[in-house]
Amino acid sequence: MSDTLILAKTLIQRPSVTPADNGCQLLLAERLRAIGFEIEHLHFGEVDNLWARRGKAGPLLCFAGHTDVVPTGPESEWQFPPFSAHEHEGQLYGRGSADMKGSVAAFITACERFIAQHPDHTGSIAFLITSDEEGPAKDGTVRVIETLEQRGEKIDWCLVGEPSSTDKLADVIKNGRRGSLGATLTVQGIQGHVAYPHLARNPVHAFAPALLQLCTETWDQGNDHFPPTTFQISNINAGAGATNVIPGKLEVQFNLRFSTELNEQIIRKRVEAILNQHALDYEIDWQLSGNPFLTAEGELVDAIRKAVKNVCGYETELSTAGGTSDGRFIAPTGAQVVELGPLNATIHQVNEHVGIADLDKLSDIYEQTLIHLLTDPAA
């Protein structure tokens, strides 16, 4: 049993449903302290965060990840108990195995091997580990970054262990993410009897033309790095609970995943212009989860591409698809940010699992990335 597998199983066996960490970061800190890292435990609200750094000089390569996991769902539907870290037919089953305790374990073992071989490496290595990635993301990575910025501590390269792979390990790496802007819209009407519609105002009927326009709007054409912006309704709710009552209020929740062709202000202005065009009586509450970011070709992308080719024997693909990640808090500081982790096919699902052999390969990719970035080829 490899060191990476042993550590991944140990982490999975600690139920750490967000925002709980359940001792995972203490375990990681012990391993990192043993190889020369200085440890800081940063607590904000209910959230545990770990900042560990080895070295004082730049450039700084940071491994970023999280120890919290989403709830298991019905445990009776799992083939094996979700926190048992059960091995079966070459797969490691358990909540967090793919998202992302497997990656965190691979981070650690890659660093242990690298430092054993290169104790006098150039630059610095850091770990930013939170227990608030799967939750509100208010007291996790964003607060750690605020702390680092206040003291002038800058990350140059950041490798996030989010599960980026699609069909085989490291076939896709994420060098950017779309922005995410959500909203809760309340449309006011006048409740009444369905037999007397002239005495009421149905907010569902009033909103329907605006809904059609919002759903068919072409927000942008995307660009070379991002697909076009998308608009999706996630919830619509109205009604008084009876078939003969016109509702007095409609609540709609929607989200836009947007490219670098747009920004929050432009989107809000365009959405509200459509709502105003239809003379709706409404209130809208906007929630920005993150702006789009892109890491162009550069040292980090090049190093990871070489590492994947060395370990896996094939080229990797750059992508900005998918949801948000904590990379959205790190990229605005000027850091190059790339996400690379295991297959994402079962994340957040019942019977989440990761390939056991993939864990060792992932650790090798991380180690190769360290070698490419933090060793002097002339030495």
Side-chain angles (χ1 to χ4, degrees):
M1 191 182 298
S2 73
D3 288 344
T4 305
L5 177 58
I6 293 170
L7 180 54
K9 293 184 69 171
T10 302
L11 293 171
I12 293 166
Q13 288 165 351
R14 300 186 179 212
S16 54
V17 177
T18 189
D21 169 71
N22 205 11
C24 292
Q25 292 176 24
L26 292 174
L27 173 62
L28 300 177
E30 289 177 10
R31 300 277 289 253
L32 292 172
R33 187 179 286 110
I35 54 174
F37 281 78
E38 295 184 4
I39 305 299
E40 288 185 74
H41 294 284
L42 302 172
H43 304 279
F44 301 106
E46 299 180 291
V47 176
D48 292 318
N49 301 289
L50 172 65
W51 174 252
R53 178 166 179 164
R54 186 181 196 273
K56 301 292 186 182
L60 172 59
L61 169 61
C62 175
F63 291 96
H66 59 92
T67 50
D68 60 322
V69 299
V70 297
T72 64
E75 293 194 21
S76 61
E77 295 183 10
W78 283 73
Q79 186 175 0
F80 310 104
F83 297 110
S84 65
H86 189 89
E87 298 176 57
H88 178 68
E89 296 183 347
Q91 302 291 322
L92 177 61
Y93 283 78
R95 176 58 83 225
S97 56
D99 189 14
M100 59 174 290
K101 290 181 176 179
S103 297
V104 171
F107 283 164
I108 298 291
T109 57
C111 278
E112 289 173 336
R113 293 193 308 275
F114 173 75
I115 290 168
Q117 293 296 318
H118 306 278
D120 299 318
H121 60 82
T122 60
S124 301
I125 309 170
F127 279 74
L128 197 174
I129 308 294
T130 184
S131 66
D132 188 35
E133 199 274 345
E134 300 289 8
K138 300 294 186 184
D139 289 320
T141 298
V142 64
R143 295 290 300 276
V144 178
I145 290 298
E146 288 173 358
T147 301
L148 298 179
E149 287 287 288
Q150 287 169 4
R151 63 195 193 195
E153 197 167 357
K154 288 287 188 179
I155 297 169
D156 296 284
W157 304 308
C158 183
L159 206 169
V160 185
E162 287 294 335
S164 63
S165 306
T166 302
D167 298 315
K168 57 185 178 181
L169 180 68
D171 59 348
V172 174
I173 62 174
K174 303 292 178 68
N175 66 321
R177 291 281 192 164
R178 295 175 295 173
S180 176
L181 179 61
T184 299
L185 170 69
T186 302
V187 181
Q188 296 293 339
I190 299 175
Q191 184 172 312
H193 197 293
V194 297
Y196 303 95
H198 59 288
L199 300 178
R201 186 174 71 249
N202 193 320
V204 179
H205 292 191
F207 179 62
L211 172 60
L212 177 62
Q213 189 171 344
L214 289 167
C215 291
T216 56
E217 179 80 0
T218 299
W219 300 95
D220 60 34
Q221 300 296 328
N223 54 39
D224 290 342
H225 301 286
F226 290 90
T229 295
T230 61
F231 172 93
Q232 288 292 316
I233 296 287
S234 55
N235 189 38
I236 293 183
N237 184 50
T243 60
N244 62 349
V245 178
I246 294 171
K249 182 172 67 174
L250 168 69
E251 186 172 274
V252 182
Q253 292 178 316
F254 60 84
N255 180 272
L256 292 104
R257 295 300 167 102
F258 60 101
S259 75
T260 49
E261 297 296 303
L262 299 176
N263 59 41
E264 178 189 5
Q265 291 72 30
I266 292 173
I267 294 171
R268 289 175 59 160
K269 184 176 180 180
R270 287 177 61 179
V271 168
E272 291 171 11
I274 291 172
L275 299 176
N276 293 335
Q277 178 184 335
H278 294 276
L280 299 174
D281 180 4
Y282 71 91
E283 296 180 354
I284 190 165
D285 178 29
W286 293 97
Q287 305 98 34
L288 178 68
S289 297
N291 284 305
F293 68 89
L294 178 71
T295 293
E297 305 281 342
E299 303 97 339
L300 182 58
V301 170
D302 290 346
I304 293 175
R305 278 178 154 167
K306 290 176 184 176
V308 172
K309 186 65 182 290
N310 290 348
V311 174
C312 300
Y314 46 77
E315 302 289 341
T316 189
E317 174 188 343
L318 299 179
S319 172
T320 59
T324 59
S325 78
D326 275 2
R328 69 191 189 273
F329 303 126
I330 302 167
T333 68
Q336 297 178 33
V337 179
V338 173
E339 300 172 25
L340 168 60
L343 271 67
N344 54 31
T346 63
I347 60 174
H348 292 204
Q349 295 184 12
V350 167
N351 293 323
E352 179 183 350
H353 59 271
V354 65
I356 292 172
D358 283 353
L359 290 177
D360 289 325
K361 286 185 178 180
L362 187 61
S363 182
D364 289 342
I365 293 170
Y366 293 154
E367 182 185 6
Q368 287 289 312
T369 302
L370 283 160
I371 291 170
H372 287 308
L373 290 173
L374 297 183
T375 61
D376 184 354

